[in-house]
């Protein structure tokens, strides 16, 4: 049973907020680097944020730094993405990803497990 399930997407107005969740059923969740990516129609999948095993180290894409916050709860095998001050250009399908490594980067090819995605639409 290897499964990541995203939830929390929806339709919001510009300037609004959403919190995405990703429930993970993978071996040794607490020993996986976790990340969020997004993909707009006709575009490639882009890195948003990653979080270390403990949750104490994070990294963000410049486009979302200061607006989005990634976090994890290892007791619940879940990661979150708090999104504030949303913009129309944030409209995309948002994906959760995992890698059983101590260190991972911003390339989608580095991640082993993926969720099905959740749609976020931001209206102007």
């Amino acid at each position: 049973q290897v499964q990541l399930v995203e939830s929390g997407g929806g339709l919001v107005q510009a300037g609004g907020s959403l919190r995405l969740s990703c429930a993970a059923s993978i071996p040794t969740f607490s020993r996986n680097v976790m990340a969020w990516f997004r993909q707009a129609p006709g575009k490639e999948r882009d890195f948003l944020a990653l979080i270390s095993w403990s949750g104490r180290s994070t990294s963000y894409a410049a486009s979302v730094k200061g607006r989005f916050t990634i976090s994890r709860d290892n007791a619940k095998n879940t990661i979150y993405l708090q999104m504030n001050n949303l913009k129309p250009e944030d409209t995309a399908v948002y994906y959760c990803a995992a890698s059983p490594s101590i260190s991972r980067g911003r390339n989608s090819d580095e991640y082993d497990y993926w969720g099905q995605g959740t749609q976020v639409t931001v209206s102007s």
Side-chain angles (χ1 to χ4, degrees):
Q1 292 180 311
V2 177
Q3 188 176 28
L4 308 180
V5 180
E6 302 94 336
S7 61
L11 174 64
V12 297
Q13 292 185 320
S17 298
L18 285 173
R19 189 176 79 154
L20 306 183
S21 298
C22 171
S25 296
I26 57 176
T28 59
F29 172 82
S30 64
R31 294 295 179 266
N32 275 258
V33 175
M34 303 295 296
W36 287 98
F37 290 76
R38 69 185 179 190
Q39 187 168 23
K43 306 293 185 180
E44 67 181 26
R45 192 167 297 186
D46 290 331
F47 169 82
L48 296 176
L50 64 80
I51 189 165
S52 65
W53 295 358
S54 68
R56 297 188 183 96
S57 297
T58 59
S59 183
Y60 296 90
S63 60
V64 303
K65 192 171 186 178
R67 298 190 297 124
F68 291 10
T69 302
I70 188 172
S71 60
R72 70 190 296 162
D73 187 338
N74 286 345
K76 296 181 178 180
N77 284 15
T78 302
I79 68 165
Y80 306 92
L81 187 68
Q82 178 66 47
M83 305 186 294
N84 298 326
N85 190 211
L86 285 162
K87 306 173 185 292
E89 51 263 44
D90 294 320
T91 296
V93 177
Y94 284 66
Y95 296 91
C96 176
S99 179
S101 174
I102 193 170
S103 181
R104 278 289 177 261
R106 301 175 174 224
N107 194 313
S108 62
D109 292 342
E110 300 180 54
Y111 292 83
D112 300 84
Y113 309 118
W114 294 85
Q116 84 291 344
T118 185
Q119 177 71 47
V120 172
T121 303
V122 184
S123 61
S124 59

